[in-house]
Amino acid sequence: MAPLNGPVAEQIAKHISEVTNAPFQIETQQSVSGGCINQAAKVSDRKRTFFIKTNHATQLAMFEAERDGLQEMYDSRSIRVPQPLCCGVTHSLSYIVMEWLELGGGCSGGAWRRMGEQLAAMHKATSTQGYGWHRDNTIGSTPQQNQWCEDWVEFWRDRRLGPQFSLAHAKGGYFPRRDELMNAIPRLIGAHTPMASLLHGDLWSGNAAITVEGEPVILDPATYYGDPESDLAMTELFGRFPHEFYQAYDSVLPIATAYRQRKVLYNLYHILNHYNLFGGSYESQANSMIAQILS
Ligand code: ADP
């Protein structure tokens, strides 16, 4: 990213100093690639290192929701996530600061097995308020509605697929079997009444990593409470996680046989979101998935 310049760097450093109760100044900074939405950098005073993401000032709420999501996952003490420090706005930029994690560890030593066990442990953290979250957030940069809902069918139809179809329609997308699909959701989910589990919400392979110490980490969440199968489904969407991940997950939280059918309904949400973010062939991919779900 463009380097954090004088006043911006100073403000962020001041904020870090305040929340950590120790003076901090940015002495080195390095841009970090790999994100889809924001600009990112590693900053350091040569003693302490942090990870910073920035965007337009208008995106503050997105970072606040990310901070809250990371904190909730962090507090579940189940799987490693970067500890969030603070977020704010300065000089027309919004930012989030979090713990820097040295990523890039290999998959030897059972890291993916631990990823499976620890994700299942996180999914055991449940909400007593039903499905949803205390605030809306974003999936990529698309708004994600999280108003609490007692009923999973209603949640998936009205808070997940419905809003994505509306955005896709406004964008000119053509989904001839949309109504048929929406009407079939009660039958497709049927008697399945999942736990309201703490979810990552956007768990594709780019948001899972191993630290150089071999510790599994999940990043960049779109947190809410919902069916744990929807997190699992996304791990299979853009390049499946290694086999031992699923074995280990299943040993802690057994994966139902009917997950295979529900998985496509859950991943349709992400493909519609990709159509809304990137357009192109995601429209035909969504239509193929709809046909598969209804077959
Ligand atoms: P975006 O919100 O733009 O999608 P990400 O949160 O995915 O950005 O971060 C971009 C990349 O930065 C990730 O793919 C990962 O490699 C790296 N990264 C994310 N969080 C950290 C962190 N706390 N410490 C070190 N590297 C990180």
Side-chain angles (χ1 to χ4, degrees):
M1 70 180 199
L4 297 167
N5 63 27
V8 171
E10 263 170 46
Q11 268 305 316
I12 297 178
K14 185 164 168 261
H15 203 170
I16 296 174
S17 306
E18 279 163 16
V19 295
T20 62
N21 218 5
F24 180 79
Q25 278 195 328
I26 297 176
E27 291 192 12
T28 66
Q29 58 175 294
Q30 206 178 309
S31 139
V32 177
S33 58
C36 304
I37 307 294
N38 304 294
Q39 309 244 280
K42 174 186 185 182
V43 301
S44 168
D45 67 355
R46 300 181 204 280
K47 293 193 289 285
R48 295 189 295 158
T49 306
F50 299 101
F51 179 71
I52 300 180
K53 293 199 286 192
T54 60
N55 206 317
H56 302 294
T58 49
Q59 301 305 309
L60 177 63
M62 175 182 71
F63 285 144
E64 288 175 336
E66 181 172 354
R67 174 201 60 198
D68 288 1
L70 286 172
Q71 191 64 53
E72 193 141 345
M73 292 161 73
Y74 186 86
D75 291 342
S76 75
R77 295 167 183 276
S78 48
I79 187 162
R80 184 87 185 259
V81 296
Q83 184 176 22
L85 261 80
C86 56
C87 43
V89 171
T90 179
H91 295 84
S92 77
L93 279 185
S94 56
Y95 60 88
I96 181 169
V97 183
M98 65 189 80
E99 172 184 16
W100 169 260
L101 295 171
E102 209 59 62
L103 306 176
C107 43
S108 57
W112 284 96
R113 177 179 52 71
R114 289 195 298 282
M115 179 87 78
E117 289 167 355
Q118 293 173 7
L119 181 72
M122 189 180 91
H123 285 165
K124 285 188 169 181
T126 53
S127 149
T128 52
Q129 288 167 274
Y131 308 106
W133 201 33
H134 68 274
R135 65 182 300 162
D136 292 344
N137 52 6
T138 48
I139 178 85
S141 53
T142 308
Q144 175 166 269
Q145 299 176 19
N146 294 322
Q147 194 191 345
W148 293 110
C149 188
E150 294 281 308
D151 183 73
W152 178 244
V153 168
E154 193 182 321
F155 185 87
W156 198 254
R157 188 188 56 209
D158 299 345
R159 311 261 195 281
R160 291 293 177 265
L161 293 184
Q164 292 286 357
F165 271 126
S166 299
L167 287 173
H169 183 69
K171 199 183 152 87
Y174 181 56
F175 304 96
R177 300 184 74 184
R178 174 183 73 171
D179 291 349
E180 200 186 331
L181 177 88
M182 292 299 269
N183 292 333
I185 292 176
R187 172 179 61 78
L188 294 166
I189 294 183
H192 178 57
T193 50
M195 304 189 284
S197 292
L198 178 58
L199 301 183
H200 178 284
D202 192 10
L203 197 53
W204 68 291
S205 51
N207 284 341
I210 312 290
T211 66
V212 289
E213 288 94 25
E215 190 177 20
V217 179
I218 52 178
L219 307 158
D220 200 17
T223 312
Y224 66 101
Y225 287 87
D227 187 349
E229 289 182 358
S230 63
D231 259 358
L232 268 191
M234 200 179 189
T235 67
E236 296 196 61
L237 186 55
F238 300 114
R240 229 172 159 258
F241 286 16
H243 181 63
E244 56 266 36
F245 165 85
Y246 300 96
Q247 268 184 328
Y249 183 98
D250 183 64
S251 72
V252 178
L253 264 188
I255 302 171
T257 317
Y259 158 70
R260 298 269 131 229
Q261 278 92 55
R262 289 188 284 266
K263 170 173 98 167
V264 188
L265 183 68
Y266 291 157
N267 280 339
L268 177 61
Y269 173 66
H270 296 291
I271 292 303
L272 287 172
N273 187 41
H274 274 63
Y275 173 70
N276 287 321
L277 291 170
F278 310 116
S281 64
Y282 291 112
E283 181 188 47
S284 60
Q285 191 176 349
N287 280 318
S288 305
M289 289 168 89
I290 293 168
Q292 189 188 344
I293 294 164
L294 291 173
S295 66

